[in-house]
Amino acid sequence: MMAAAVGTTLSVGSAISAGCKPGPVTLQKTMGVKLNSASRLSCFSGLKAISSVSGGQEASFLGSGSLAAIQRSFVAKAGERNQRSYMQLQSQASFKVAVLGAAGGIGQPLALLIKMSPLVSALHLYDIANVKGVAADLSHCNTPSQVLDFTGPSELASALKGVNVVVIPAGVPRKPGMTRDDLFSINAGIVKNLVEAAADNCPDAFIHIISNPINSTVPIAAEVLKKKGVYDPKKLFGVTTLDVVRANTFVAQKKNLKLIDVDVPVIGGHAGMTILPLLSKTRPSVTFTDEEVQELTVRIQNAGTEVVEAKAGDGSATLSMAYAAARFVESSLRALDGDTDVYECTYIESDVTDLPFFASRVKLGKKGVEAVITKDLQGLSEYEEKALETLKAELKGSIEKGIAFANKQPVAVA
């Protein structure tokens, strides 16, 4: 369990069940929140999720931003009891999330983190095998969302019916002897099939693509949705949050800063040299030497390899990816719930460069991307300007590869 910040104690597990009678999960339950002070709910995780462009609001995954969402989503019934340290709130958890690939190395911890969200009423877990045990395990967690499992293609449509957010971590990691083309062909096909099902069963949902290579799989998803006649570029996201999470962590460590205060926008794509942390735009403002810029940029770009080597070939970045993806899900849910101060970096169809897809900071709202924050790309350092021009050729090739793949494939009929 994440530790609470000074002055606030909130247990996502036990507190949510406080005052609830045993029984089936419903959309409205009473939740107890125990406060150690009379001050408003504040950040408790110390893991920063987003910050506004003006830098005015602190927020973190299941932190102040989410607690603000709790305050909006849980109607106060306390009356005069607001003066007490124990408040009764009415739950309005109302969003359905589907995780496709929920039994995998990313899917399992991701499902657990999403289960913790007070905004989720139903969590649909889908995989081709081994998902029943994951669902049974998670269903014992005393948080509001109901967990349902779905196994195999015959149950995929049911997993997606009425879902608000679809998260796709499904796919295979690169294995010894497997070429990048082999990996692309397998994961591209998986993403295509899953997005087709989403188009048929929840065409208005936010779709979060995690399956690598994101630089290609997001364009594939876009082409599939176009062929299905339901493409909304504002609702299709490549989850690049892990690059931001790493950048924030590494900069905080390097400069001995409070992690909760650090925000580094990351643009470009989500592979190697296409990942470009804008260290010159770091908040709070901090000075880097040329050597530090080079060192941090390379480490952020190659952080996945750092994990693979540390695991001695026995896995990749699954836990940090799950955390980053859960953070992006939480941001999406907050936006859907009406929060007007939600910003994240994400890989989307974009016109901020001459490339059709590009990762940059966006403002999220109820209908998806409300605005692309172009000022992040203004006044770049000389190093960043050169790196941006260099990454474009690599990213362009990946985008074209994805589009070409999608256009060669027949569209499945629902």
Side-chain angles (χ1 to χ4, degrees):
M1 203 61 187
M2 298 177 186
V6 174
T8 302
T9 300
L10 173 64
S11 172
V12 174
S14 59
I16 285 177
S17 65
C20 298
K21 296 180 180 179
V25 174
T26 61
L27 293 186
Q28 294 197 351
K29 278 182 177 283
T30 303
M31 185 190 87
V33 179
K34 185 178 180 181
L35 300 178
N36 288 340
S37 73
S39 63
R40 65 175 178 82
L41 291 171
S42 59
C43 170
F44 76 90
S45 76
L47 297 171
K48 189 163 185 173
I50 62 97
S51 60
S52 66
V53 173
S54 63
Q57 176 180 339
E58 279 195 349
S60 64
F61 170 59
L62 289 177
S64 64
S66 293
L67 292 176
I70 294 174
Q71 288 174 301
R72 287 188 303 276
S73 301
F74 289 57
V75 181
K77 294 291 186 180
E80 294 182 358
R81 292 156 65 193
N82 282 341
Q83 302 301 318
R84 305 178 187 178
S85 65
Y86 187 84
M87 298 184 304
Q88 289 298 105
L89 304 174
Q90 195 70 16
S91 169
Q92 293 292 320
S94 58
F95 298 108
K96 296 181 180 180
V97 178
V99 178
L100 310 184
I106 296 172
Q108 291 194 44
L110 172 57
L112 171 62
L113 292 170
I114 294 174
K115 181 74 169 74
M116 294 169 63
S117 172
L119 295 174
V120 178
S121 62
L123 178 58
H124 293 187
L125 305 182
Y126 171 84
D127 216 315
I128 57 174
N130 304 322
V131 75
K132 287 187 180 296
V134 177
D137 199 356
L138 283 180
S139 70
H140 295 176
C141 299
N142 60 326
T143 61
S145 55
Q146 180 182 22
V147 181
L148 300 173
D149 62 272
F150 303 85
T151 303
S154 65
E155 297 185 4
L156 179 56
S158 297
L160 291 166
K161 291 291 185 185
V163 164
N164 303 105
V165 178
V166 179
V167 192
I168 306 180
V172 298
R174 189 176 177 186
K175 300 175 183 177
M178 181 183 288
T179 67
R180 292 190 181 275
D181 284 340
D182 293 335
L183 180 66
F184 170 83
S185 296
I186 296 171
N187 286 353
I190 291 171
V191 169
K192 171 186 173 292
N193 293 336
L194 295 177
V195 173
E196 283 179 344
D200 292 333
N201 295 284
C202 53
D204 294 325
F206 286 15
I207 299 178
H208 296 183
I209 305 292
I210 297 173
S211 307
N212 277 317
I214 283 178
N215 292 353
S216 298
T217 54
V218 172
I220 289 171
E223 293 302 308
V224 169
L225 294 168
K226 287 176 186 177
K227 290 180 180 181
K228 288 285 189 177
V230 296
Y231 180 48
D232 184 347
K234 295 179 180 180
K235 295 183 178 181
L236 176 63
F237 308 93
V239 180
T240 60
T241 318
L242 180 54
D243 301 325
V244 177
V245 166
R246 286 166 166 164
N248 292 350
T249 300
F250 300 162
V251 167
Q253 292 171 345
K254 188 73 174 178
K255 291 298 185 177
N256 195 28
L257 300 172
K258 243 174 92 174
L259 183 57
I260 190 66
D261 293 332
V262 179
D263 181 42
V264 183
V266 182
I267 65 171
H270 185 59
M273 62 175 291
T274 68
I275 300 168
L276 179 56
L278 299 181
L279 297 174
S280 68
K281 304 291 183 178
T282 298
R283 290 194 299 260
S285 181
V286 61
T287 302
F288 299 94
T289 65
D290 291 344
E291 291 75 17
E292 286 174 331
V293 169
Q294 174 70 17
E295 176 191 343
L296 284 166
T297 300
V298 170
R299 188 182 179 198
I300 293 163
Q301 290 174 338
N302 298 318
T305 301
E306 184 177 312
V307 175
V308 170
E309 291 176 351
K311 291 186 175 182
D314 190 28
S316 57
T318 53
L319 300 177
S320 54
M321 183 65 247
Y323 165 77
R327 172 180 135 168
F328 194 78
V329 169
E330 187 73 5
S331 290
S332 293
L333 295 174
R334 286 172 46 216
L336 285 167
D337 194 49
D339 193 331
T340 59
D341 192 30
V342 183
Y343 296 82
E344 288 284 1
C345 291
T346 179
Y347 182 65
I348 58 168
E349 182 177 307
S350 172
D351 60 4
V352 297
T353 69
D354 53 356
L355 297 170
F357 292 86
F358 195 78
S360 59
R361 193 195 306 270
V362 304
K363 181 179 181 180
L364 298 175
K366 288 186 176 183
K367 295 184 179 180
V369 176
E370 284 192 353
V372 177
I373 312 305
T374 57
K375 78 174 188 177
D376 282 343
L377 278 73
Q378 299 168 4
L380 300 181
S381 69
E382 182 179 353
Y383 178 92
E384 291 163 350
E385 289 279 10
K386 289 180 179 178
L388 176 57
E389 290 307 309
T390 300
L391 73 81
K392 285 182 179 180
E394 177 79 16
L395 187 52
K396 182 174 184 288
S398 298
I399 293 169
E400 290 175 347
K401 185 174 183 178
I403 293 173
F405 174 89
N407 288 335
K408 289 179 183 177
Q409 308 298 315
V411 178
V413 179

